[in-house]
Amino acid sequence: MSFPFTAKNVSLSKGPDPKTSIQVERDAQKLNPQAMQYFLEGSKERAELIKSLTQQMERDPILWTDGSYYDMDKEQLRKFTALKINRVARYLEGDSIDVFQRRLSLIGVFDPAVGTRIGVNLGLFISCIRGNGTYDQLKYWALDKFTAHIRGIYGCFGMTELAHGSNVMGIETTATFDKANDEFVINTPHIGATKWWIGGAAHSATHCTVYARLIVDDEDYGVKTFVVPLRDSNHDLMPGVTVGDIGAKMGRDGIDNGWIQFSSVRIPRFFMLQKFCKVSREGEVILPPLEQLSYSALLGGRVMMVLDSYRMLARVATIALRYAIGRRQFKGDNVDPDDEEALETQLLDYPLHQKRLFPYLAAAYVVSAGALKVERTIEETLLLLDDAVDEGDDVGIMKSIDAMKSLFIDSGSLKSTCTWLAAEAIDQCRQACGGHGYSGYNGFGRAYNDWVVQCTWEGDNNVLGINIGKPLVKHIIAIEDDGKVVKGSSDFLNQLKEYTGSGASKVVLNNAKDITDLKTFIKSLEVAIIRLSYETGKTVRKENFDFVGAELVNISKLKAHHYLLSEYVRRIDEHDDASVKPYLYDLGRVYAATVVLDRFAGIYLTFNVASTSAITDLAKVVIPQLCKQVRPNVVGLTDSFQMSDMMINAAIGRYDGDIYENYFDLVKTLNPPAKDKAPYSAALEAMLNRPTIDERERFEKTIEAGEILSK
Amino acid sequence: MSFPFTAKNVSLSKGPDPKTSIQVERDAQKLNPQAMQYFLEGSKERAELIKSLTQQMERDPILWTDGSYYDMDKEQLRKFTALKINRVARYLEGDSIDVFQRRLSLIGVFDPAVGTRIGVNLGLFISCIRGNGTYDQLKYWALDKFTAHIRGIYGCFGMTELAHGSNVMGIETTATFDKANDEFVINTPHIGATKWWIGGAAHSATHCTVYARLIVDDEDYGVKTFVVPLRDSNHDLMPGVTVGDIGAKMGRDGIDNGWIQFSSVRIPRFFMLQKFCKVSREGEVILPPLEQLSYSALLGGRVMMVLDSYRMLARVATIALRYAIGRRQFKGDNVDPDDEEALETQLLDYPLHQKRLFPYLAAAYVVSAGALKVERTIEETLLLLDDAVDEGDDVGIMKSIDAMKSLFIDSGSLKSTCTWLAAEAIDQCRQACGGHGYSGYNGFGRAYNDWVVQCTWEGDNNVLGINIGKPLVKHIIAIEDDGKVVKGSSDFLNQLKEYTGSGASKVVLNNAKDITDLKTFIKSLEVAIIRLSYETGKTVRKENFDFVGAELVNISKLKAHHYLLSEYVRRIDEHDDASVKPYLYDLGRVYAATVVLDRFAGIYLTFNVASTSAITDLAKVVIPQLCKQVRPNVVGLTDSFQMSDMMINAAIGRYDGDIYENYFDLVKTLNPPAKDKAPYSAALEAMLNRPTIDERERFEKTIEAGEILSK
């Protein structure tokens, strides 16, 4: 609001016409959204698959989701979630694993609770068995018992406890071997060891993969995994199992997260998952050297979250950008002040608005490439490992372990960086839609509430950041001290000497041109990581790793940006459709300039990675120029995500851009203007029509009463 | 989670004992929380008032709020909100305005919907009348009709429209003068002019202050204000008034936000608010020169939001810090690795955790001082203005207008900066509590959903930031071009020449000592604002103001930090209890180092306000050292907020620090472990126990069928 506001310069206008604004821009698009979609999904085939799966779900009477979803309370969401899972299970019976993973990823966009509940069963529960069980155990629990078809068994994942989350080593549930009966006794020793947050436990799950300390002959062998039945085939709770609903959550109300206490629950010895640890009939514990792989159950989830981040970024960027094209507010500097008939300025024509939103549009594109790559990598790595273990191939096993370590770093830094970025995107895109962003029907509120748990679960983002930063700093120390040579995705660290010591003053980004040259920019990330890790290493030598937690998290973020941008550029370079490349490169530059450099300017300047004049150019030249280039293509670049109106599920974000009519129509449909008063109107009316305070006080405090009572 | 995790080094421990952790620290406190509370609330008297008001509300059976609040759905919240308003109205009849404002501010902490609904009526509706109506109009609507006691009339505030929010000038509802009948005809010309988001409109309000274009004899006189009845004394809708519920929102479900369409609704001419604009019986429009003050209705709300920010920062910092003292996770570098019996490390003993949380603890303290000052300023300024207008004192009026302009800048930059900071604090404090932060019963989810609208309503934060940054840059341009001398809270801009041109290389923060010297730091903020504004001004001369929107928002933020820190230091300096000062100065330094410098390092380096070595020191020396100093006093510093368990309303944030017992007990109380299956269990069981796919497909696709059908 400007100061002062006299209204002379705004004439009485006809109603707003946002639909035309978007249509005019759509008609002017030169880029082919279909061609772009092939890039985003990795191939034409995959893009077509996505399209057909979306169509199936949109037409399915049970899976179909619309604005009424935002009016559902917890009980309704629980009920509809169960119906939807039942429905999805029918598709699952005909899907290949790859098709089903696509399907689940798409469901996660428009109903994340359904996605999670299935993911806990088929992702975490089965992954835990796959990671920790023998091949026969996996076959038995997943296939023979039909769990993989969500039939017979419904699994949940019992890792976290009330008092232990990130520190899985510290878990306190016990599994004590009872030699006499050849059983394990599962027990919750105290309140802190209550299994907590267990998705599906409250009402649904029949079995749980329980992380518990193996105790044999009073000796503690550390945390192992066990399949523990919770409910029988009549869905009644097993004796000794206490389960409760965890109640109100910030989001994901469709999930029946629960707590579990075990009171001396007995399971047969063969319910222990024993790929890496066996207990013999006589109580002998056999611990092979491969134990470190037992957390691999979480890796798949982390990788999926990178893909989720891409879709969430695409979704919220689409909503906010479509709104910003239709919405007009004030007559900006692009309007001739003498033109009384001129329309107000489209939000998206304000440079600040572009600077606020384009980073998330660019991030969707850049993250899409990294998501595909890390997904491919985990599939390959797990297959190789399984083969090596099956064949007892020790060299293959060690090689797979190296690959797993690299994947641990890449997936961890990507999971934390991308889920944070998506959370920020939801929040910022909401704010960019002003008051209408706060409406439930425009999707941001539910999206945020459902999303942000991704920053915490399956590896808290800060803890992950530390655990990714730490090995990189250790690498740097080892390179300096022992001349170690680093392999894999962090091999750029080997340039340590070139960029520290006498090379510490080498500037990588000297000007605007350096910033927009993506290969130079990727190099700048390498140098930033090297120098920050090197400085951090120096501090670690004096203090300790806990002391540099904040730096480790920053290193992890920079590492993720390096991975993402490198893969993005690689993908563009090798892409066979030249027509989309200029747009893609520009988005990569926007990402580099805004998501990376603008936020890490302090580090870039402190460590001479960028010159002061490069940072000045960034704000004055690079970002404005890039925004100007991207602006005309926004409709095409968002249409390229090919998210249907159902996937978007936001009244102001629909394809036709008719923001006000769509929104008002939905509000009126779901909340018909009342012909009656509100149910609580009586209380209000009683308040408004109450007698005066004197009357209600029986005139006991009036002057007259005072005279009588003072006599 | 570390790589690999073998569990040998964690021994089976007895249950966690977080209560003792916090009690030990509380017993060791040297600071007096009571004395500190006097500083925070401004005086002993005010602190005592706060205490007695809190006690009244805690014991009130209707106002009392506990964990069950988080389980309420929209309908329940609406109902209880109405009951609470009715209850608050009874207190109101006995309260002075000052006492009532304190009360309302406190209610806003534990039930913001109640606070807002009352605030819309007594704040916005009456403030609009006060700002735009004559004294007699104010007296009639507010006092004679008992609105100020929430009796008879319940007001709402009809500014925003579906297609116009920030641009109030652009509002399209019309108020056309009908000379024949001496009436105004209020009309909604099209869907875009539908009044939108109107708090209280859906079910409650009897009257609305409507912002509408005054049309007389086909001439448009711009936006004026009118009192328009919506419902009669029987609470039935007036003819021509259409009202609907806006439905699902991200938060504040207790508020019945509505939309309103007027279809030729007639009101008497004297329902126009006419302090600044009158229409005579003959249709003559008299526009005095003071029109710019007509937005003053929003100023009071902005000022309140600064106070709200203080209380929200205090609340969430208390929850997260108490949790971080009780919660232990991993054995950190502060634990002797050979000590098998050692407890795991308290979260708050990790330097990263301190760095994540202390900024918000510090911000609560620093914002408290600024909130008190800006609140005092608005009261004084409005009183002076009212007096001057009543007495027709033109000099006094012009002086008040100057003061209002200064207040517009201060309140706008504070509102946007502080509400953003509080939103960030809620999110970060939630994340710092890990999974338990995501539970509904620990308060963060509801707090976030309810809070973030503060960043949008009553002046969108980005629009405010632009409108605050712009006059500062204009000042700088005028100082350079015309030698203008700036007065008021921005007078430091007059140092322009000293710090630009040949003075552009003067560094203010050279080392750690400069950063922690608060007066030097405040000077650094002045220089940062001057140099950034000066550079921005240069760009504006070449381009335009829209081009530099991002810079303007940064200038506004820096201005707010300057205001807050200056007032904070001033308050400490003149405070009469020396015992609390060392703690206060340290928190001021934490704020300067983390909330300001760490985030604005890029700007500080780019403009030579800080040296590279100062920024290096910041991370390696200043922040770790400050955190170390603050750490032992955390329990005392949070206890000093004196927020009762009801105000906190978070199971893991209670005073006794018994985080697990409190939390588990609440979860079990509100969600008793089920003796029965869930209501939707039948659907789940039907899914799990469904026949095989072959059977369900009537064996039509079996090999046997294939043989028959292929014959």
Side-chain angles (χ1 to χ4, degrees):
Chain A
M1 184 183 327
S2 72
F3 185 102
F5 64 82
T6 45
K8 287 292 172 191
N9 60 341
V10 175
S11 56
L12 281 182
S13 58
K14 58 186 166 103
D17 184 15
K19 203 172 162 176
T20 297
S21 302
I22 203 166
Q23 198 49 50
V24 166
E25 296 199 16
R26 188 169 278 136
D27 291 344
Q29 293 301 296
K30 295 202 180 79
L31 84 87
N32 176 354
Q34 189 61 66
M36 191 59 103
Q37 163 77 350
Y38 296 161
F39 176 87
L40 284 165
E41 295 296 341
S43 70
K44 183 178 170 180
E45 292 64 35
R46 253 178 87 144
E48 298 292 340
L49 172 62
I50 299 281
K51 199 173 165 180
S52 74
L53 293 176
T54 302
Q55 207 171 55
Q56 271 187 343
M57 295 191 285
E58 276 184 346
R59 293 175 180 170
D60 190 295
I62 295 171
L63 298 180
W64 162 259
T65 301
D66 62 15
S68 65
Y69 173 70
Y70 299 121
D71 277 324
M72 290 184 191
D73 64 18
K74 193 173 77 180
E75 298 317 312
Q76 290 170 310
L77 284 169
R78 292 270 172 96
K79 181 184 148 198
F80 281 98
T81 304
L83 293 176
K84 285 183 179 181
I85 294 170
N86 188 356
R87 189 71 180 154
V88 172
R90 313 307 167 116
Y91 287 98
L92 176 52
E93 289 173 323
D95 282 348
S96 71
I97 286 185
D98 185 58
V99 168
F100 185 69
Q101 279 181 344
R102 283 329 97 209
R103 193 189 295 279
L104 203 58
S105 156
L106 294 171
I107 291 175
V109 178
F110 65 91
D111 197 338
V114 172
T116 303
R117 275 177 68 145
I118 297 174
V120 168
N121 182 6
L122 301 190
L124 293 175
F125 177 76
I126 292 186
S127 290
C128 179
I129 296 173
R130 181 182 181 184
N132 299 286
T134 61
Y135 174 79
D136 289 319
Q137 289 185 315
L138 174 64
K139 182 172 172 296
Y140 180 83
W141 290 116
L143 302 180
D144 299 350
K145 307 299 282 187
F146 300 103
T147 311
H149 284 176
I150 320 185
R151 217 186 116 219
I153 287 180
Y154 195 96
C156 65
F157 182 71
M159 183 185 264
T160 304
E161 297 177 352
L162 181 56
H164 278 100
S166 295
N167 183 11
V168 178
M169 291 194 303
I171 273 173
E172 295 174 278
T173 299
T174 53
T176 308
F177 183 55
D178 172 3
K179 205 186 294 183
N181 292 296
D182 197 21
E183 289 175 332
F184 289 110
V185 181
I186 310 292
N187 196 53
T188 304
H190 54 68
I191 179 177
T194 307
K195 291 291 174 189
W196 204 260
W197 280 115
I198 312 305
H203 303 136
S204 315
T206 62
H207 291 65
C208 182
T209 45
V210 173
Y211 286 70
R213 312 194 77 77
L214 172 64
I215 313 285
V216 183
D217 290 334
D218 291 335
E219 195 165 341
D220 177 356
Y221 289 87
V223 176
K224 313 293 167 206
T225 46
F226 305 83
V227 175
V228 183
L230 301 179
R231 292 177 171 90
D232 63 22
S233 66
N234 194 33
H235 226 245
D236 288 320
L237 276 184
M238 295 291 182
V241 174
T242 315
V243 158
D245 188 340
I246 224 165
K249 300 188 296 280
M250 184 170 175
R252 305 214 176 205
D253 272 335
I255 308 172
D256 58 327
N257 291 89
W259 53 265
I260 312 173
Q261 287 182 333
F262 299 101
S263 304
S264 299
V265 172
R266 293 181 165 269
I267 55 170
R269 183 167 54 91
F270 49 81
F271 277 19
M272 178 176 177
L273 296 174
Q274 51 187 24
K275 187 194 279 186
F276 301 115
C277 175
K278 287 181 199 185
V279 177
S280 73
R281 179 65 191 90
E282 290 70 35
E284 191 194 356
V285 179
I286 304 134
L287 289 167
L290 300 173
E291 201 172 358
Q292 56 263 53
L293 296 175
S294 60
Y295 66 81
S296 65
L298 294 177
L299 278 186
R302 288 181 195 158
V303 166
M304 280 297 285
M305 285 185 234
V306 186
L307 191 62
D308 291 348
S309 301
Y310 151 55
R311 297 208 191 278
M312 183 54 81
L313 284 160
R315 177 174 170 235
V316 294
T318 301
I319 302 171
L321 287 165
R322 284 182 179 161
Y323 178 73
I325 286 168
R327 175 78 165 188
R328 295 168 183 272
Q329 201 78 281
F330 296 112
K331 294 193 179 180
D333 289 324
N334 68 342
V335 172
D336 175 2
D338 295 330
D339 180 0
E340 290 228 350
E341 297 302 304
L343 293 176
E344 291 179 78
T345 300
Q346 290 168 273
L347 286 192
L348 201 54
D349 284 335
Y350 289 103
L352 174 59
H353 214 77
Q354 296 169 6
K355 195 183 169 184
R356 288 167 68 188
L357 292 180
F358 288 173
Y360 307 113
L361 176 67
Y365 276 79
V366 173
V367 171
S368 82
L372 294 180
K373 180 176 179 186
V374 74
E375 197 186 15
R376 213 166 45 236
T377 309
I378 192 174
E379 280 162 18
E380 291 166 3
T381 309
L382 285 177
L383 272 180
L384 281 177
L385 176 68
D386 284 352
D387 287 353
V389 170
D390 283 352
E391 293 164 20
D393 167 9
D394 284 348
V395 177
I397 290 176
M398 291 320 290
K399 220 169 145 183
S400 297
I401 289 179
D402 273 351
M404 287 290 275
K405 283 186 186 176
S406 195
L407 186 61
F408 173 77
I409 289 183
D410 292 336
S411 66
S413 69
L414 288 172
K415 182 272 189 187
S416 57
T417 305
C418 295
T419 57
W420 266 331
L421 190 56
E424 180 195 311
I426 302 168
D427 177 54
Q428 291 295 320
C429 289
R430 176 186 58 74
Q431 289 195 51
C433 295
H436 300 325
Y438 196 70
S439 164
Y441 305 120
N442 292 321
F444 296 108
R446 184 67 68 79
Y448 190 85
N449 288 331
D450 286 349
W451 181 264
V452 292
V453 71
Q454 302 248 32
C455 303
T456 300
W457 69 13
E458 301 184 36
D460 172 85
N461 279 5
N462 276 291
V463 177
L464 278 180
I466 288 171
N467 288 335
I468 273 57
K470 203 183 278 189
L472 295 184
V473 172
K474 283 181 177 166
H475 279 331
I476 287 285
I477 291 176
I479 293 170
E480 197 186 17
D481 291 357
D482 314 320
K484 176 179 176 178
V485 176
V486 176
K487 287 177 194 166
S489 71
S490 307
D491 60 0
F492 59 84
L493 295 177
N494 297 320
Q495 306 166 87
L496 173 68
K497 285 206 178 134
E498 200 179 333
Y499 290 104
T500 54
S502 62
S505 58
K506 275 190 202 169
V507 175
V508 186
L509 304 179
N510 290 287
N511 50 43
K513 204 167 146 284
D514 289 340
I515 300 173
T516 52
D517 182 275
L518 283 170
K519 305 233 154 121
T520 306
F521 193 85
I522 290 167
K523 166 64 75 180
S524 81
L525 273 164
E526 296 174 357
V527 176
I529 294 169
I530 288 170
R531 288 182 183 159
L532 178 56
S533 303
Y534 180 66
E535 274 301 308
T536 304
K538 286 203 277 184
T539 310
V540 169
R541 291 174 196 263
K542 271 189 278 180
E543 309 279 348
N544 53 52
F545 270 108
D546 283 351
F547 191 86
V548 296
E551 285 76 12
L552 297 176
V553 174
N554 273 333
I555 291 169
S556 165
K557 285 181 184 171
L558 291 167
K559 176 73 174 68
H561 293 314
H562 179 264
Y563 182 100
L564 290 167
L565 269 177
S566 303
E567 175 61 13
Y568 183 67
V569 171
R570 197 193 63 71
R571 274 280 312 286
I572 305 174
D573 286 350
E574 73 172 25
H575 192 61
D576 53 11
D577 180 353
S579 76
V580 297
K581 293 192 180 190
Y583 306 103
L584 290 169
Y585 284 123
D586 270 350
L587 290 171
R589 292 179 188 116
V590 170
Y591 186 88
T594 60
V595 178
V596 185
L597 189 54
D598 201 32
R599 290 152 195 230
F600 287 96
I603 285 174
Y604 266 70
L605 288 169
T606 303
F607 294 107
N608 292 315
V609 187
S611 66
T612 306
S613 70
I615 299 297
T616 309
D617 280 356
L618 177 73
K620 285 190 157 184
V621 182
V622 178
I623 295 177
Q625 185 57 40
L626 285 171
C627 286
K628 207 172 158 187
Q629 272 163 246
V630 169
R631 171 66 187 91
N633 314 315
V634 165
V635 173
L637 291 170
T638 48
D639 285 353
S640 297
F641 296 128
Q642 306 238 337
M643 282 211 177
S644 70
D645 283 350
M646 182 189 82
M647 303 276 280
I648 296 278
N649 204 5
I652 57 171
R654 290 191 203 151
Y655 183 80
D656 69 6
D658 203 3
I659 52 180
Y660 301 121
E661 294 286 352
N662 290 339
Y663 178 24
F664 192 35
D665 184 57
L666 186 67
V667 165
K668 278 202 293 192
T669 304
L670 295 174
N671 310 272
K675 301 190 192 303
D676 296 317
K677 296 174 182 177
Y680 59 86
S681 195
L684 276 174
E685 289 179 54
M687 168 180 70
L688 292 176
N689 298 328
R690 72 189 188 272
T692 64
I693 183 159
D694 283 347
E695 189 176 336
R696 279 150 43 224
E697 288 180 347
R698 304 172 194 83
F699 303 101
E700 292 161 355
K701 294 182 184 169
T702 55
I703 295 170
E704 293 77 8
E707 281 169 0
I708 296 165
L709 295 172
S710 305
K711 267 179 195 165
Chain B
M1 185 181 329
S2 71
F3 185 101
F5 65 81
T6 44
K8 287 290 171 194
N9 60 341
V10 175
S11 57
L12 280 182
S13 56
K14 58 185 165 107
D17 184 15
K19 203 172 163 177
T20 297
S21 302
I22 203 166
Q23 197 50 48
V24 166
E25 295 200 18
R26 187 169 279 136
D27 292 343
Q29 293 302 294
K30 294 203 180 78
L31 85 87
N32 176 353
Q34 189 61 65
M36 193 58 103
Q37 163 77 350
Y38 296 161
F39 176 87
L40 284 164
E41 295 295 341
S43 69
K44 183 178 172 183
E45 292 66 35
R46 254 179 85 147
E48 297 293 340
L49 171 64
I50 300 280
K51 198 173 168 183
S52 74
L53 293 176
T54 303
Q55 207 171 54
Q56 270 187 346
M57 295 191 286
E58 276 185 347
R59 294 176 180 171
D60 190 296
I62 296 172
L63 297 181
W64 162 259
T65 301
D66 62 16
S68 65
Y69 173 70
Y70 299 121
D71 278 324
M72 290 185 192
D73 65 16
K74 192 172 76 178
E75 298 317 312
Q76 291 170 310
L77 283 168
R78 293 270 171 98
K79 181 182 147 198
F80 280 98
T81 304
L83 292 177
K84 286 183 179 181
I85 294 170
N86 187 356
R87 188 72 180 154
V88 172
R90 313 307 166 117
Y91 286 99
L92 177 52
E93 289 174 322
D95 282 349
S96 70
I97 286 185
D98 184 58
V99 168
F100 184 69
Q101 279 181 344
R102 282 330 96 210
R103 194 189 295 280
L104 203 59
S105 156
L106 293 171
I107 291 174
V109 177
F110 64 91
D111 197 338
V114 172
T116 303
R117 275 177 69 144
I118 297 174
V120 168
N121 182 5
L122 303 190
L124 293 176
F125 177 75
I126 292 186
S127 289
C128 179
I129 296 174
R130 181 182 181 185
N132 299 286
T134 62
Y135 174 77
D136 290 319
Q137 289 185 317
L138 174 63
K139 182 171 172 297
Y140 180 83
W141 290 116
L143 302 179
D144 299 350
K145 306 299 280 188
F146 300 103
T147 310
H149 284 176
I150 321 185
R151 215 185 119 223
I153 286 178
Y154 195 97
C156 67
F157 182 71
M159 184 186 262
T160 304
E161 296 177 352
L162 181 56
H164 278 99
S166 294
N167 182 11
V168 178
M169 292 193 304
I171 273 173
E172 295 175 277
T173 300
T174 52
T176 308
F177 184 54
D178 172 3
K179 206 187 290 181
N181 292 298
D182 197 22
E183 289 175 333
F184 289 110
V185 181
I186 310 292
N187 196 51
T188 303
H190 54 69
I191 179 178
T194 307
K195 291 291 173 189
W196 205 262
W197 280 114
I198 312 305
H203 302 136
S204 316
T206 61
H207 291 66
C208 182
T209 46
V210 173
Y211 286 70
R213 312 194 79 77
L214 172 64
I215 313 286
V216 182
D217 290 336
D218 291 336
E219 195 166 340
D220 177 354
Y221 289 87
V223 176
K224 312 295 168 204
T225 47
F226 305 83
V227 174
V228 183
L230 300 178
R231 291 176 171 92
D232 62 24
S233 64
N234 194 35
H235 225 246
D236 287 320
L237 277 184
M238 295 291 182
V241 173
T242 314
V243 158
D245 187 340
I246 224 165
K249 300 189 297 280
M250 183 170 176
R252 303 215 177 208
D253 272 335
I255 309 173
D256 58 326
N257 290 89
W259 53 267
I260 312 173
Q261 288 181 332
F262 300 102
S263 304
S264 299
V265 172
R266 293 181 164 269
I267 55 169
R269 181 168 54 91
F270 49 81
F271 278 19
M272 177 176 177
L273 296 174
Q274 50 185 25
K275 188 197 278 186
F276 302 115
C277 174
K278 288 180 198 183
V279 177
S280 73
R281 179 66 191 86
E282 290 72 35
E284 193 194 355
V285 179
I286 305 135
L287 289 166
L290 300 173
E291 201 171 358
Q292 56 264 51
L293 296 175
S294 58
Y295 65 82
S296 65
L298 294 178
L299 278 186
R302 288 182 194 158
V303 166
M304 279 298 285
M305 286 184 234
V306 186
L307 190 62
D308 291 348
S309 301
Y310 151 55
R311 297 207 191 280
M312 182 54 82
L313 284 160
R315 178 173 169 238
V316 294
T318 301
I319 301 170
L321 287 165
R322 284 182 179 161
Y323 178 74
I325 286 168
R327 175 77 165 189
R328 294 169 183 272
Q329 201 78 283
F330 297 111
K331 295 192 180 180
D333 290 322
N334 67 342
V335 172
D336 175 3
D338 295 331
D339 180 0
E340 289 229 349
E341 297 303 302
L343 293 177
E344 291 180 79
T345 300
Q346 290 169 273
L347 286 193
L348 200 53
D349 285 333
Y350 289 103
L352 174 59
H353 214 78
Q354 296 169 5
K355 195 183 170 185
R356 288 168 69 189
L357 291 180
F358 288 173
Y360 308 114
L361 176 67
Y365 276 80
V366 173
V367 170
S368 82
L372 294 180
K373 179 174 180 188
V374 73
E375 196 186 15
R376 214 165 46 235
T377 309
I378 191 173
E379 281 162 17
E380 290 166 5
T381 309
L382 285 177
L383 271 181
L384 281 176
L385 176 67
D386 284 352
D387 287 353
V389 170
D390 283 351
E391 292 163 21
D393 168 9
D394 284 350
V395 178
I397 291 175
M398 291 320 291
K399 221 169 142 182
S400 298
I401 290 179
D402 273 352
M404 288 290 276
K405 283 185 187 175
S406 195
L407 187 60
F408 173 78
I409 290 183
D410 293 334
S411 65
S413 69
L414 289 172
K415 182 270 188 187
S416 57
T417 305
C418 295
T419 56
W420 267 331
L421 190 54
E424 180 195 310
I426 301 168
D427 177 53
Q428 291 295 320
C429 289
R430 176 186 57 74
Q431 290 195 50
C433 296
H436 300 324
Y438 197 70
S439 164
Y441 305 121
N442 292 321
F444 297 108
R446 183 67 68 80
Y448 191 85
N449 289 332
D450 286 349
W451 181 264
V452 292
V453 70
Q454 302 250 33
C455 303
T456 300
W457 68 13
E458 302 185 32
D460 172 85
N461 279 5
N462 276 291
V463 177
L464 277 180
I466 288 171
N467 288 335
I468 273 56
K470 203 184 275 187
L472 295 184
V473 173
K474 282 183 178 167
H475 279 331
I476 288 285
I477 292 176
I479 292 171
E480 196 186 16
D481 290 0
D482 314 321
K484 178 179 175 178
V485 177
V486 176
K487 287 178 196 165
S489 72
S490 307
D491 59 0
F492 59 84
L493 296 177
N494 297 319
Q495 307 166 88
L496 173 66
K497 287 207 176 131
E498 200 180 334
Y499 290 104
T500 55
S502 61
S505 58
K506 274 190 204 168
V507 175
V508 186
L509 303 180
N510 290 288
N511 49 43
K513 204 166 147 283
D514 290 341
I515 299 173
T516 53
D517 181 276
L518 283 170
K519 305 234 153 118
T520 306
F521 194 84
I522 290 167
K523 164 65 75 179
S524 81
L525 274 164
E526 295 174 358
V527 176
I529 295 168
I530 288 170
R531 287 182 183 157
L532 178 57
S533 303
Y534 180 67
E535 274 301 307
T536 305
K538 286 203 277 184
T539 310
V540 168
R541 289 173 197 264
K542 272 189 275 179
E543 307 280 347
N544 53 52
F545 270 107
D546 283 351
F547 191 87
V548 295
E551 285 77 11
L552 297 176
V553 174
N554 273 333
I555 291 169
S556 166
K557 285 181 184 170
L558 291 167
K559 176 72 175 66
H561 293 313
H562 179 264
Y563 182 101
L564 290 167
L565 268 177
S566 303
E567 175 61 13
Y568 182 67
V569 171
R570 197 193 63 71
R571 273 279 312 286
I572 306 176
D573 286 348
E574 74 172 26
H575 192 60
D576 52 13
D577 179 353
S579 75
V580 297
K581 293 191 180 191
Y583 306 104
L584 291 170
Y585 284 122
D586 271 350
L587 290 171
R589 292 179 188 115
V590 170
Y591 186 89
T594 60
V595 178
V596 186
L597 190 53
D598 201 33
R599 290 151 195 230
F600 286 97
I603 285 175
Y604 266 70
L605 287 169
T606 303
F607 293 109
N608 293 313
V609 187
S611 67
T612 306
S613 70
I615 298 297
T616 309
D617 280 355
L618 177 72
K620 286 191 158 183
V621 182
V622 178
I623 294 176
Q625 185 57 39
L626 285 171
C627 287
K628 206 172 158 189
Q629 272 163 247
V630 169
R631 170 67 187 92
N633 314 313
V634 164
V635 173
L637 290 170
T638 47
D639 285 352
S640 297
F641 297 129
Q642 304 238 336
M643 282 210 177
S644 70
D645 283 350
M646 181 189 83
M647 303 277 279
I648 296 278
N649 203 5
I652 57 169
R654 289 192 203 150
Y655 183 80
D656 69 7
D658 203 4
I659 53 180
Y660 301 122
E661 293 286 352
N662 289 338
Y663 178 23
F664 192 35
D665 184 58
L666 185 67
V667 165
K668 277 203 293 192
T669 304
L670 295 174
N671 309 274
K675 301 191 192 301
D676 296 316
K677 296 175 183 177
Y680 60 87
S681 195
L684 277 173
E685 290 178 54
M687 168 179 71
L688 292 177
N689 299 328
R690 71 189 188 272
T692 64
I693 185 160
D694 283 347
E695 187 175 343
R696 279 151 43 226
E697 288 179 348
R698 305 172 194 81
F699 304 101
E700 292 161 357
K701 294 182 184 168
T702 54
I703 296 170
E704 293 77 6
E707 282 169 358
I708 297 167
L709 294 172
S710 304
K711 268 181 195 163

